[in-house]
Amino acid sequence: MNVNREPALRLQGIVKTFPGVRALDGVDFEVMPGEVHALLGENGAGKSTLMKVLAGMYQPDEGQIIIAGQKVRMTTPIEAKAQGVILIHQELSLVPEMSAAENIYLGELPRKSLGRVDWKTLEARSNAILKRLRCNFRAEVTVANLSIANQQMVEIARALTVDARVVIFDEPTASLTDAEKVVLFDIINDLKAQGVGIVYISHRMDEIFTLSDRITVLRDGGYRGTLNTADTNEDEVTRLMIGRSLDLSRDEAAREFGKTMLDVRNLTCPGLFENVSFSVRAGEVVGFYGLVGAGRTEIAETLFGLRKPTSGEILVDGETVEIGSPRAAIAMGISLVPENRKEQGLVLQMNCRDNMTLPQVQDLTAGPFLSQGAELAIFDQYRDRLAIKTPSWRQSAGVLSGGNQQKIVIGKWLSMQPRVLIVDEPTRGIDVGSKSEIHQLLRELAAQGYAVIVISSEMPEVLRVSDRIVAMYHGRIMREFSIDEVTEDSLVQAISGITSDTAA
Amino acid sequence: MAYFYQNPLLRWLMRNPIWGFVLIIFIFFSLSADHFFSERNLMNIVVQTSTIGLIALGMTLVMINGNIDLSVGATLALAAAFAVDVQSWAAFSTWGNWQILPAVCLALLVGILMGAINGFIVWKTGVDAFIVTLGAMLGIRGLVFVYTGEQSFYAMNFAYSDFSFMTIGPFPVLAVIFGIAVLAVHWLLSRTVHGRNTYAVGGNREAAVNAGIRVGPHMMINFMLIGFLAALSGVLLSTQMGAATPNLGRDYELWVITAVVLGGTKLTGGKGDIIGTLGGVLAIGILRNGMNLMQVPAFYVYVILGSILIAVLFLDKRFNRTADGGLRL
């Protein structure tokens, strides 16, 4: 570790305001060389604003940025990069049609005379970087042909083309498998050993506690403190983050379930899932657990009329049905809260009220015109019931935090009084506070008699919300557990395709 | 800066920079062009812009819906040709002034039909509306030349060419028609189910499908509406000229798209409104009229409009980026 203990990067009293919002209110933050410093906070706490200040995308209104003892002003990401501060985006920003090498040196391609690209140098350098990252693909391959994890490696490789002083990782594991995560953590530790300062932004506590040396917490744009990871625990961090403790227990009385609302028999869609049978009763939450690509989302899409099964039967409330389109599914009382709320669930430019009433505006009319009163009544009712935080119904859905966006989507379907509610990855990209609220909400909905299906890749989540858990592997249901008999081990085995003797 | 965000009028102007521009050029021409600020000239501006304005209303619908229609100029010409030609058909020779009625009805139907074809192809094939309507623009213009034999048609019935000079109370009839159309489309867009779903489909097609909205029919209805409005515009233009020429409506698609984009409607869909479009249409109308009165050669209007288009969009980008999406590139 550096002897003179001069921070690689230091922010002092950073203030940044936007129209009507004080996004950062006097934030202090520093990263030492060779340190992993985690930045934590709920969505809307100011993490991304701070990150953009760090990366030169925003200029702070007040405060100082000090790099290696020098006060600097960075007005563009290029200047920040020249200072050795590099941001690795959460969303990949690669040009899919270009090769990995071209992407790594995008904007800085090595040149020969007359502005020609020096392909030899480009590929040699790129391959050297990829080797350093222990990547098993060559720099000549087209990015579109790489897996998401490898694309992320290309994104990281970009950071290493210059002498990086500070590398900022923004939710880097969001789309990675466990094995890929291990590789990423190795890389982060390598960088750390080389004396690079790492800023690590994530919602996942386990990662933060594995990786980081220190943790800085933001809440409502304000600095809430910096903790040594070794001297703290998840509880303390969470309290700092949301200003209260989280209650993670399930202490409700055992419930009676109603009649079977959804019965699926031998449903098959070749290549995606095969011979899938399960049922959901009123008042019950059935969790679908498995790895990404196990066919869970595809089953949900089939039930919602977005895919056609080749064989099998679907019974809703005892009647065999054909579900040809989402429109038909909605008419039968099946609702889907999709995996990607921004792409599939919300019209981002549209205001909150209009988003919420979208599937039923045709019924909210007075004569030929929409009834503003009826729409507002629905919005108000579900805003209160789901505790949606928005200054007004006029706010466009795109500017809300992830948790509130998800609540709008859930409210949209609840207001349709569905019989079966399917929720796909309900808390992906949502901060801890809203996450537990959404879990609570799913339990409450079941208690009110809805039949709920929750698809999730997070074990704590399925364990917390489900009454029964369906474990899937490669398009097949491996095993079904009641919540009383399930153990973490048996669940992991089931979704990894290991058929143990106890299953029989 | 804080003051800017609190004053409601200024805030409104920041969201609709085109109206600020309309205000500025209105004051400018009132002060510097002799005959600009008179009731008669102002009515004149509305009449002159009603042709482009009517189509711009339809284009706003289509663009919010996530599509575009390049064939409007050609549709206008075809409808005008039908309107003028059909009234002189022998079958209607004994109908007197009533011969105008089937001619106009047929012309409007032709417009709706052209729009329906565009919409149907976009719906069923999934080909981009830009390409489909580019093809339609060429194809329909070709039909116009085939139909007219490259000749102009002249209206023999004077009642037809007198129509555009009629007034209702103090207002020219063309201004009244345009005004009614503005209100009707504004209501359609802001107050009806079809309008709401038009925004939803253009804003996020996948989310719209997932909400049970049938995307295709909404797109087709909007294409039929713009076809109707283009045809109506063609009929009104031919009453003003007393004739229909095969080259009628050339470049109109460009003027119309300029007006709509000036008014803040996004090419990517999901965003825009009729109030903005009206501002865009008036900006073009006032500029053309005012510069004409000041005897500036017409081609300078193009130079100025081109610059304004870029300037207004630049202002829009500066004022209306959101707190988190405001990347400086």
Side-chain angles (χ1 to χ4, degrees):
Chain A
M1 199 156 274
N2 207 316
V3 203
N4 62 11
R5 302 292 298 157
E6 181 78 61
L9 181 137
R10 185 161 170 195
L11 302 179
Q12 278 180 332
I14 298 290
V15 174
K16 177 76 189 169
T17 51
F18 293 109
V21 198
R22 207 169 167 85
L24 291 176
D25 195 1
V27 172
D28 298 327
F29 184 75
E30 60 169 30
V31 205
M32 305 302 284
E35 175 194 42
V36 177
H37 196 150
L39 186 59
L40 259 174
E42 296 193 273
N43 285 342
K47 275 176 313 179
S48 32
T49 312
L50 186 67
M51 197 176 65
K52 286 180 178 171
V53 168
L54 278 172
M57 291 168 174
Y58 288 159
Q59 275 60 62
D61 300 333
E62 286 169 39
Q64 298 184 333
I65 305 175
I66 297 159
I67 294 177
Q70 298 278 313
K71 207 178 134 182
V72 295
R73 233 181 97 78
M74 303 180 297
T75 57
T76 62
I78 298 163
E79 281 178 46
K81 197 168 181 182
Q83 297 278 357
V85 180
I86 290 141
L87 170 67
I88 293 171
H89 291 270
Q90 176 181 9
E91 276 126 31
L92 298 171
S93 51
L94 301 171
V95 187
E97 294 82 10
M98 288 186 171
S99 74
E102 283 170 289
N103 269 290
I104 291 171
Y105 279 94
L106 198 67
E108 311 156 309
L109 293 175
R111 284 181 207 177
K112 294 193 288 192
S113 60
L114 298 173
R116 289 171 302 156
V117 175
D118 184 353
W119 294 106
K120 258 193 193 145
T121 316
L122 173 68
E123 273 155 19
R125 281 195 209 158
S126 304
N127 275 317
I129 295 174
L130 290 178
K131 203 169 162 195
R132 193 169 143 205
L133 292 175
R134 282 174 256 166
C135 291
N136 56 1
F137 59 92
R138 302 273 308 161
E140 291 82 358
V141 9
T142 306
V143 162
N145 298 333
L146 291 172
S147 70
I148 297 288
N150 282 336
Q151 291 187 14
Q152 190 140 22
M153 291 303 161
V154 175
E155 190 83 46
I156 294 170
R158 258 182 182 181
L160 304 179
T161 58
V162 293
D163 255 341
R165 227 184 229 122
V166 177
V167 180
I168 308 161
F169 288 90
D170 182 16
E171 296 273 358
T173 56
S175 48
L176 297 188
T177 64
D178 285 338
E180 291 162 344
K181 265 183 218 172
V182 172
V183 177
L184 177 75
F185 290 174
D186 279 350
I187 289 165
I188 290 177
N189 282 324
D190 275 0
L191 288 172
K192 182 178 161 175
Q194 291 161 23
V196 177
I198 310 281
V199 181
Y200 192 85
I201 300 169
S202 176
H203 280 125
R204 302 196 181 167
M205 286 286 180
D206 52 329
E207 291 174 13
I208 283 167
F209 276 87
T210 328
L211 267 181
S212 71
D213 300 304
R214 284 193 294 169
I215 301 171
T216 289
V217 178
L218 299 180
R219 186 171 79 232
D220 301 329
Y223 173 78
R224 298 292 158 193
T226 301
L227 306 163
N228 277 323
T229 311
D231 310 333
T232 185
N233 53 41
E234 291 193 18
D235 239 22
E236 187 182 6
V237 173
T238 310
R239 242 190 342 266
L240 267 186
M241 218 164 102
I242 62 175
R244 64 192 151 87
S245 311
L246 273 184
D247 179 17
L248 291 168
S249 60
R250 320 170 27 135
D251 51 0
E252 47 186 86
R255 279 203 315 269
E256 294 282 306
F257 301 125
K259 57 178 175 171
T260 303
M261 294 308 290
L262 179 72
D263 200 357
V264 174
R265 293 175 190 166
N266 298 319
L267 202 64
T268 298
C269 204
L272 298 170
F273 53 85
E274 265 162 61
N275 271 325
V276 167
S277 303
F278 63 93
S279 64
V280 190
R281 287 167 290 182
E284 185 180 35
V285 180
V286 175
F288 273 68
Y289 185 60
L291 298 171
V292 174
R296 297 165 303 160
T297 298
E298 289 74 10
I299 292 176
E301 286 171 352
T302 309
L303 293 174
F304 195 57
L306 288 163
R307 289 177 191 277
K308 263 212 154 14
T310 50
S311 64
E313 249 188 316
I314 302 171
L315 287 84
V316 177
D317 205 1
E319 278 175 56
T320 310
V321 292
E322 289 264 340
I323 309 172
S325 66
R327 199 179 169 79
I330 293 165
M332 284 166 212
I334 299 174
S335 293
L336 173 66
V337 176
E339 197 175 5
N340 301 311
R341 59 187 162 272
K342 286 189 180 177
E343 287 83 36
Q344 303 166 317
L346 290 169
V347 183
L348 295 175
Q349 311 95 315
M350 207 176 236
N351 66 45
C352 298
R353 184 200 68 185
D354 294 0
N355 262 299
M356 201 181 275
T357 56
L358 200 57
Q360 55 174 326
V361 273
Q362 66 274 15
D363 302 324
L364 303 175
T365 51
F369 294 134
L370 291 166
S371 161
Q372 305 265 332
E375 286 195 77
L376 269 182
I378 288 181
F379 175 75
D380 286 343
Q381 183 189 346
Y382 287 92
R383 181 197 53 206
D384 295 345
R385 180 161 165 202
L386 307 182
I388 296 169
K389 283 183 218 119
T390 166
S392 128
W393 62 265
R394 290 191 179 81
Q395 191 74 257
S396 55
V399 302
L400 295 185
S401 71
N404 283 311
Q405 285 182 342
Q406 189 70 301
K407 287 184 192 171
I408 298 245
V409 181
I410 294 175
K412 171 166 89 176
W413 293 119
L414 287 189
S415 68
M416 301 285 293
Q417 315 289 345
R419 292 191 278 194
V420 180
L421 181 68
I422 308 170
V423 194
D424 196 352
E425 299 287 359
T427 60
R428 171 174 290 175
I430 285 177
D431 52 79
V432 188
S434 314
K435 207 166 178 169
S436 95
E437 273 181 65
I438 285 174
H439 290 163
Q440 202 98 50
L441 178 69
L442 292 171
R443 295 299 307 160
E444 281 168 24
L445 292 176
Q448 287 158 21
Y450 291 102
V452 184
I453 296 176
V454 175
I455 298 171
S456 176
S457 304
E458 291 181 42
M459 192 183 299
E461 183 162 281
V462 264
L463 289 175
R464 186 152 179 245
V465 301
S466 316
D467 296 304
R468 251 183 321 135
I469 297 174
V470 171
M472 286 197 68
Y473 171 74
H474 267 300
R476 287 174 189 280
I477 291 181
M478 297 306 286
R479 222 187 132 178
E480 228 183 270
F481 300 89
S482 85
I483 194 70
D484 309 315
E485 60 166 347
V486 70
T487 63
E488 296 197 6
D489 284 347
S490 57
L491 207 46
V492 169
Q493 286 186 350
I495 66 154
S496 319
I498 304 165
T499 37
S500 65
D501 295 330
T502 51
Chain B
M1 214 48 189
Y3 173 75
F4 268 113
Y5 294 117
Q6 273 148 26
N7 184 312
L9 180 69
L10 283 174
R11 256 178 37 195
W12 189 83
L13 275 182
M14 282 170 75
R15 279 202 308 275
N16 300 280
I18 189 61
W19 279 98
F21 177 70
V22 168
L23 201 69
I24 291 167
I25 55 174
F26 185 81
I27 295 170
F28 172 78
F29 285 120
S30 297
L31 297 176
S32 52
D34 281 343
H35 304 290
F36 181 81
F37 193 81
S38 67
E39 196 187 308
R40 195 165 153 192
N41 187 53
L42 296 184
M43 284 301 165
N44 211 358
I45 292 176
V46 179
V47 170
Q48 285 166 355
T49 49
S50 64
T51 323
I52 286 176
L54 283 170
I55 310 175
L57 299 175
M59 193 67 87
T60 310
L61 291 171
V62 169
M63 278 170 59
I64 289 173
N65 208 187
N67 294 314
I68 198 162
D69 189 347
L70 300 176
S71 69
V72 285
T75 302
L76 177 150
L78 188 64
F82 266 99
V84 175
D85 182 43
V86 171
Q87 49 184 283
S88 59
W89 284 1
F92 304 124
S93 58
T94 57
W95 286 37
N97 284 345
W98 287 104
Q99 64 194 187
I100 295 170
L101 187 71
V104 168
C105 288
L106 193 66
L108 296 178
L109 275 176
V110 164
I112 295 171
L113 180 70
M114 294 300 126
I117 293 172
N118 277 333
F120 190 76
I121 296 174
V122 171
W123 173 11
K124 288 297 176 190
T125 65
V127 176
D128 204 87
F130 186 95
I131 304 298
V132 172
T133 60
L134 182 69
M137 173 178 118
L138 298 171
I140 297 173
R141 183 65 69 183
L143 279 182
V144 174
F145 279 95
V146 171
Y147 179 42
T148 60
E150 296 179 56
Q151 300 300 311
S152 295
F153 291 155
Y154 296 95
M156 297 308 170
N157 189 328
F158 290 116
Y160 188 70
S161 29
D162 284 344
F163 177 77
S164 60
F165 299 108
M166 279 168 57
T167 54
I168 296 176
F171 301 110
V173 66
L174 295 182
V176 173
I177 291 174
F178 180 51
I180 293 171
V182 168
L183 286 179
V185 178
H186 177 68
W187 274 327
L188 176 77
L189 199 48
S190 61
R191 302 285 307 277
T192 70
V193 175
H194 172 69
R196 178 69 56 79
N197 288 348
T198 294
Y199 279 104
V201 170
N204 186 343
R205 189 167 170 165
E206 202 177 347
V209 170
N210 285 342
I213 294 170
R214 297 183 63 209
V215 169
H218 286 296
M219 297 201 308
M220 190 145 157
I221 288 172
N222 285 327
F223 272 109
M224 286 162 76
L225 282 169
I226 194 174
F228 169 80
L229 287 163
L232 179 62
S233 177
V235 170
L236 296 179
L237 194 60
S238 69
T239 66
Q240 283 173 279
M241 299 174 37
T245 65
N247 271 317
L248 206 63
R250 272 260 148 102
D251 292 347
Y252 269 38
E253 55 283 340
L254 300 180
W255 288 102
V256 166
I257 292 167
T258 305
V260 173
V261 172
L262 276 174
T265 297
K266 299 276 178 285
L267 281 165
T268 44
K271 198 98 194 149
D273 54 40
I274 293 299
I275 295 167
T277 294
L278 187 61
V281 169
L282 286 180
I284 292 181
I286 291 173
L287 262 185
R288 280 175 137 181
N289 175 280
M291 293 179 73
N292 188 24
L293 289 179
M294 290 176 76
Q295 294 172 347
V296 181
F299 36 80
Y300 282 108
V301 177
Y302 286 89
V303 178
I304 291 182
L305 260 176
S307 320
I308 297 304
L309 179 66
I310 294 165
V312 166
L313 290 186
F314 171 72
L315 287 178
D316 182 60
K317 228 182 161 68
R318 283 211 67 99
F319 289 148
N320 296 329
R321 55 186 191 189
T322 52
D324 54 352
L327 247 189
R328 262 188 353 150
L329 296 172

